[in-house]
């Protein structure tokens, strides 16, 4: 056995009674060993459950459902940390009693593993602490507004489908980030930000510059649609519908594979348009209308359709929805910005087959029934026609004059803000303020 590191009267606990404690006569190793167990116990206690009232008391605060979902995730992980904490406390006690090399080595080894658990849980705790904490800021009203738009999209979805399905909970939760584009993290998928734990509810990330300009928030409808594709059980049905449609129409397997790879983004674009109406095309143009080098770019492994084609896909749906004049105007504007690509910019087979492929894909996704939603088509679930567009236009006039826009669904206010802006019905800042004040008061 190795010789003890300390004398019989252990330095771990001894402080001379005859001299006042100073840094010169204070023992080091003993207090350090004792502190390791104390620190870990305090870390474990600090990674507590969240309380709803600590993020404000107003409607912009996280809902009880969101708080419960995160706490349940933490509850799953906390027992492992507590076991490590108890083990380290026992090892620290043993090392103080008999500070041999073996016991000290065992202590630091288990301390290392325990702190891996601390960091893992702290990563999750920090992630949600930051997201929930945004609701206490000036931006809480904005985030409450986008929450309500996302909730409205879910409600119209589950009311419109022709098949009974369990109601998903909690609803989507929006948060703000700086950066170029929005993003979403679907319910039930493993997230790197959570240490590969399962995400308990849909998260929708919105860039600050979109929040400042709410007429660009068609992105909310797009990101929500990614989540409904999963929650409705359409993740396999949609790509299969695209593949079968194109292959039966005589398209090559290579072309069909490209459109299948684009299925999720195409689905989200089309659902967003069905949810919000013609103005959502303008919002899409905001996103993909960039330098020609980017807008014409074809990524052979990309999941997004080539940006040049994305707007043309939405224009085709707009035509099918009965908005022929609007479809023509958007198509003319888009092709004025981005004329037909020069040879070599896009794969020849993709470009030449695009008009027919677009028509077939729009029909397959929006006008053919899916058994997963009760043998209804998406166009039947999301009924949007001239009547709904007139509601948006009337709401735009009321937003511009500061009046109550009425009982229009929350998602329609994005189109109302866009219509008011594009027709110069009011200054941009006034439109923004009325948009958020109306949504946050509901």
């Amino acid at each position: 056995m190795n010789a003890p590191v300390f004398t019989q009267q252990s330095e771990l606990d001894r402080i001379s009674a005859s001299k006042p404690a100073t840094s010169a006569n204070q023992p080091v190793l003993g207090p350090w060993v004792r502190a390791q167990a104390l620190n870990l116990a305090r870390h474990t206690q600090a990674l507590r459950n969240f309380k709803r009232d600590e993020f404000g008391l107003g409607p912009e605060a996280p809902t009880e459902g969101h708080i419960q979902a995160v706490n349940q995730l933490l509850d799953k992980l906390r027992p492992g940390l507590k076991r490590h904490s108890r083990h380290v406390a026992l090892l620290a006690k043993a090392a103080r009693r008999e500070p041999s090399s073996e016991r000290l080595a065992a202590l630091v080894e288990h301390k290392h593993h325990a702190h891996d658990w601390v960091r893992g849980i702290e990563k999750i705790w920090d992630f949600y602490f930051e997201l929930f904490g945004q609701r206490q800021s000036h931006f809480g009203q904005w985030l409450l507004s986008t929450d309500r738009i996302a909730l409205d999209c879910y409600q119209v979805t589950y009311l419109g489908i022709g098949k009974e399905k369990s109601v998903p909970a909690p609803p989507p939760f929006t948060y703000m980030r700086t950066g170029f584009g929005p993003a979403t993290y679907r319910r039930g998928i493993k997230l790197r930000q959570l240490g590969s734990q399962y995400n308990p509810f849909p998260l929708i990330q919105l860039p600050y510059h979109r929040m400042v300009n709410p007429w660009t928030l068609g992105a909310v409808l797009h990101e929500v649609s990614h989540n409904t594709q999963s929650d409705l059980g359409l993740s396999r049905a949609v790509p299969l519908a695209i593949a079968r449609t194109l292959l039966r129409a005589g398209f090559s397997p290579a072309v069909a594979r490209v459109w299948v790879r684009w299925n999720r983004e195409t689905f989200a674009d089309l659902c967003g348009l069905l949810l919000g109406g013609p103005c959502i095309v303008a919002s899409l143009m905001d996103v993909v209308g960039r330098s020609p080098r980017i807008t014409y770019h074809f990524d052979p492994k990309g999941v997004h359709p080539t940006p040049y084609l994305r707007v043309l896909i939405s224009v085709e749906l707009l035509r099918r929805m009965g908005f022929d004049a609007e479809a023509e105007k958007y198509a003319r504007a888009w092709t004025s910005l981005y004329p037909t690509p020069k040879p070599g910019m896009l794969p020849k087979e993709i470009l030449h087959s695009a008009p027919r492929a677009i028509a077939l894909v729009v029909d397959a996704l929006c006008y053919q029934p899916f058994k997963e939603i009760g043998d209804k088509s998406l166009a039947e679930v999301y009924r949007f026609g001239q009547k709904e567009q007139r509601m948006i236009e009337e709401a735009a006039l009321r937003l511009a004059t500061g009046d109550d826009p009425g009982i229009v669904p929350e998602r329609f206010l994005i189109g109302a803000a866009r219509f008011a802006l594009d027709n110069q019905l009011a200054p941009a800042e006034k439109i923004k303020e009325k948009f958020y004040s109306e949504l946050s008061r509901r």
Side-chain angles (χ1 to χ4, degrees):
M1 179 180 292
N2 292 341
V5 177
F6 303 104
T7 59
Q8 180 104 19
Q9 184 181 3
S10 176
E11 186 186 357
L12 292 171
D13 297 308
R14 179 177 60 81
I15 298 178
S16 172
S18 60
K19 297 180 181 179
T22 67
S23 60
N25 63 27
Q26 169 188 327
V28 172
L29 188 56
W32 185 87
V33 167
R34 188 166 53 244
Q36 302 320 294
L38 176 66
N39 291 345
L40 184 56
R42 289 176 60 80
H43 287 159
T44 302
Q45 185 180 27
L47 294 173
R48 55 171 176 77
N49 281 354
F50 290 116
K51 298 176 182 177
R52 186 170 186 268
D53 59 7
E54 66 185 307
F55 299 107
L57 299 175
E60 70 279 358
T63 69
E64 192 66 37
H66 291 110
I67 296 291
Q68 286 178 0
V70 172
N71 286 343
Q72 287 168 5
L73 177 58
L74 294 171
D75 287 342
K76 282 172 52 182
L77 302 174
R78 198 177 287 110
L81 178 57
K82 289 180 176 179
R83 285 194 301 272
H84 279 285
S85 179
R86 288 193 295 268
H87 196 185
V88 168
L90 291 172
L91 290 172
K93 185 176 180 180
R96 290 176 58 213
R97 187 171 60 250
E98 184 184 331
S100 65
S101 298
E102 290 88 346
R103 290 190 171 187
L104 291 171
L107 171 66
V108 295
E109 179 69 21
H110 281 82
K111 175 211 168 185
H112 173 82
H113 292 307
H115 275 271
D116 283 344
W117 273 77
V118 168
R119 284 190 293 269
I121 298 178
E122 195 169 56
K123 186 175 185 178
I124 297 169
W125 201 90
D126 286 348
F127 179 76
Y128 286 109
F129 183 76
E130 180 183 347
L131 264 57
F132 291 165
Q134 288 185 358
R135 300 310 178 97
Q136 295 178 287
S137 71
H138 168 72
F139 305 111
Q141 183 188 60
W142 294 8
L143 294 169
L144 172 62
S145 300
T146 49
D147 279 355
R148 287 178 169 167
I149 292 171
L151 178 60
D152 176 43
C153 292
Y154 257 84
Q155 289 172 336
V156 72
T157 298
Y158 276 77
L159 287 171
I161 59 176
K163 181 178 182 179
E164 180 182 338
K165 284 184 176 285
S166 177
V167 178
F173 188 86
T174 61
Y175 67 103
M176 191 166 60
R177 277 282 189 275
T178 56
F180 176 73
T184 192
Y185 302 102
R186 301 190 304 277
R187 188 192 320 271
I189 64 168
K190 291 183 177 181
L191 289 188
R192 176 180 50 80
Q193 296 92 324
L194 301 180
S196 294
Q197 297 296 321
Y198 289 101
N199 181 35
F201 46 80
L203 292 168
I204 297 176
Q205 174 183 304
L206 298 170
Y208 175 59
H209 66 269
R210 297 287 181 87
M211 304 290 283
V212 170
N213 302 310
W215 42 86
T216 69
L217 286 175
V220 177
L221 311 188
H222 175 100
E223 302 302 339
V224 167
S225 297
H226 279 308
N227 290 285
T228 54
Q229 183 178 358
S230 297
D231 284 344
L232 291 174
L234 291 170
S235 294
R236 291 187 70 253
V238 167
L240 281 173
I242 293 173
R244 287 171 181 160
T245 298
L246 295 181
L247 291 173
R248 287 171 181 168
F251 284 77
S252 72
V255 170
R257 277 194 295 271
V258 170
W259 283 93
V260 166
R261 191 168 62 246
W262 292 345
N263 86 88
R264 293 197 69 87
E265 297 300 330
T266 303
F267 179 92
D269 281 350
L270 296 177
C271 276
L273 177 50
L274 288 169
L275 282 162
C279 288
I280 301 305
V281 182
S283 191
L284 176 63
M285 289 173 63
D286 293 338
V287 178
V288 298
R290 302 173 70 186
S291 74
R293 177 179 59 84
I294 293 174
T295 301
Y296 289 124
H297 177 67
F298 174 80
D299 180 355
K301 296 183 179 179
V303 297
H304 290 80
T306 295
Y308 170 72
L309 296 177
R310 281 184 73 177
V311 172
L312 299 180
I313 297 167
S314 288
V315 165
E316 171 63 16
L317 175 56
L318 202 54
R319 185 186 66 78
R320 289 290 303 269
M321 291 167 66
F323 293 93
D324 295 276
E326 291 89 339
E328 176 61 27
K329 289 178 181 178
Y330 278 114
R332 192 182 310 123
W334 186 245
T335 53
S336 296
L337 290 165
Y338 304 98
T340 302
K342 295 176 181 177
M345 281 185 162
L346 292 173
K348 185 176 180 180
E349 193 177 10
I350 295 293
L351 182 60
H352 287 181
S353 65
R356 184 164 169 250
I358 287 171
L360 287 169
V361 168
V362 168
D363 183 74
L365 296 192
C366 298
Y367 293 94
Q368 299 303 317
F370 287 98
K371 64 180 179 59
E372 290 81 2
I373 54 176
D375 292 317
K376 279 192 171 185
S377 69
L378 292 177
E380 290 175 311
V381 174
Y382 306 116
R383 293 186 177 276
F384 193 103
Q386 296 292 339
K387 170 175 65 70
E388 286 73 23
Q389 181 57 23
R390 298 292 88 77
M391 291 174 68
I392 286 175
E393 292 167 7
E394 185 176 358
L397 290 169
R398 295 184 184 183
L399 279 181
T401 55
D403 294 331
D404 184 345
I407 53 86
V408 296
E410 286 82 354
R411 65 188 187 279
F412 285 5
L413 289 175
I414 298 171
R418 187 86 201 198
F419 190 87
L421 179 82
D422 289 349
N423 290 279
Q424 299 182 315
L425 301 180
E429 187 63 20
K430 181 179 179 181
I431 296 169
K432 184 203 84 174
E433 289 176 358
K434 184 60 179 174
F435 175 88
Y436 285 121
S437 65
E438 168 60 23
L439 282 165
S440 61
R441 75 163 182 82
R442 290 190 172 200

